[in-house]
Amino acid sequence: MEVDHVGIAVRSLSETTPKWEQLLGSPASLPEEVPSQRVRVAFLKVGSAHLELLEPTSPESSVSRFLESRGEGMHHIAFGVPSVNEKLADLIRRGERVIDREGRPGARGRVVGFAHPAAFAGVLVEFVEER
Ligand code: ZN
């Protein structure tokens, strides 16, 4: 399994993105709105993986709640898998908690699904369907 990206919650993409672009020496993707997660995201390439900067677009976004309780910082890690539905079904069969019981549309036109942080030592784990 490969790390697809690491998600970082930010209050403002426009304020944060230039700092990461300078650090990594590469330009970020144009911001993209992901309605299913009520966020706007930008990706920066790091080797074969990416950073995903997430800015909430609504107070109801889980990223808004994350920012309120913990402030800016690492939000989730995402792994590439052949099938998000199979991965989630496998976790459910093994009695693990999940946020999504099946895949949903995510950023970059990819299918994504989330396990519950309680299942993995407090880390929010996302699965991204490989192309
Ligand atoms: Zn993500």
Side-chain angles (χ1 to χ4, degrees):
M1 207 185 289
E2 301 251 325
V3 173
D4 183 88
H5 65 268
V6 172
I8 297 174
V10 304
R11 291 201 170 83
S12 162
L13 274 184
S14 59
E15 278 177 30
T16 312
T17 303
K19 291 183 191 172
W20 285 100
E21 287 177 322
Q22 191 171 37
L23 176 70
L24 299 171
S26 64
S29 63
L30 287 176
E32 173 190 352
E33 195 134 345
V34 186
S36 70
Q37 292 167 252
R38 297 193 185 100
V39 290
R40 190 175 299 117
V41 301
F43 287 89
L44 294 111
K45 197 166 164 44
V46 191
S48 60
H50 289 82
L51 289 189
E52 177 187 43
L53 305 177
L54 306 119
E55 172 194 83
T57 55
S58 151
E60 272 83 61
S61 167
S62 62
V63 175
S64 287
R65 294 195 295 273
F66 180 95
L67 288 168
E68 273 167 33
S69 64
R70 302 202 219 174
E72 291 183 305
M74 280 191 47
H75 180 261
H76 64 272
I77 185 163
F79 300 104
V81 294
S83 165
V84 168
N85 283 344
E86 273 178 31
K87 194 69 194 172
L88 293 169
D90 180 52
L91 290 177
I92 293 164
R93 263 196 306 276
R94 289 191 283 112
E96 300 292 1
R97 289 175 68 187
V98 293
I99 290 174
D100 297 308
R101 299 192 69 82
E102 55 184 33
R104 55 174 149 142
R108 303 174 296 173
R110 314 275 292 274
V111 174
V112 304
F114 287 86
H116 194 279
F120 297 103
V123 176
L124 178 59
V125 173
E126 177 182 9
F127 301 103
V128 181
E129 199 145 296
E130 291 162 352
R131 287 187 200 280

